[in-house]
Amino acid sequence: MSYSSMFLRSITLNDGVRRTFFFLLAGGTGFLLYFCISMVLHYGFRVGEVVSAIFGTLLPIPPTFWMQRRLTFQSDTPKRQALPRYAVLQLGNAAVVSGLTALGTKMGLSGGLIFLIAGVTGALISYVVQSKLVFHEN
């Protein structure tokens, strides 16, 4: 048995480990998309930090929703019920991220550092809200 198959088997045996692994994978993908979009908009197209952060937060909704719903939470919650909740969560995240971005800009921090701090904060909030409200099984 190869190391990778043993690793994947051990992940699936423990639901907490599995959920954490896939949240980091899905969240990491969402964060990478957010970070790249924000950086490209800000440094490539000279869009302000706050607007870049908002677009970076909202554009990755479709792929991260799918990954969180199917991989992380393996949720049977109907998409028509979960997607609006997830979208509201991401709008809330956009508000938090843009507020932190505006604060970081006032403090004179670089765009990259601001996007990093705001993105990690948004990811932590996102996990808690997703597990309790978005994909929570009644």
Side-chain angles (χ1 to χ4, degrees), residues 64-80:
T64 55
F65 170 75
W66 182 87
M67 292 174 74
Q68 297 293 18
R69 181 171 177 251
R70 288 290 168 215
L71 301 176
T72 304
F73 297 98
Q74 295 182 334
S75 177
D76 290 329
T77 303
K79 187 176 8 176
R80 68 183 179 284

Side-chain angles (χ1 to χ4, degrees), residues 53-54 57-58 61 83-101 118-119 121-126 129 134:
I54 290 170
T57 301
L58 298 178
I61 286 176
L83 183 57
R85 291 178 185 174
Y86 189 80
V88 168
L89 165 63
Q90 295 310 319
L91 287 171
N93 265 344
V96 168
V97 166
S98 64
L100 289 172
T101 302
T121 303
L124 293 173
I125 292 168
S126 185
V129 173
V134 176

Side-chain angles (χ1 to χ4, degrees), residues 11-12 15 17-27 29 63-75 135:
I11 287 173
T12 59
D15 190 54
V17 172
R18 183 202 57 75
R19 183 177 284 184
T20 301
F21 173 78
F22 282 114
F23 178 77
L24 292 174
L25 178 67
T29 300
T64 55
F65 170 75
W66 182 87
M67 292 174 74
Q68 297 293 18
R69 181 171 177 251
R70 288 290 168 215
L71 301 176
T72 304
F73 297 98
Q74 295 182 334
S75 177
F135 300 113

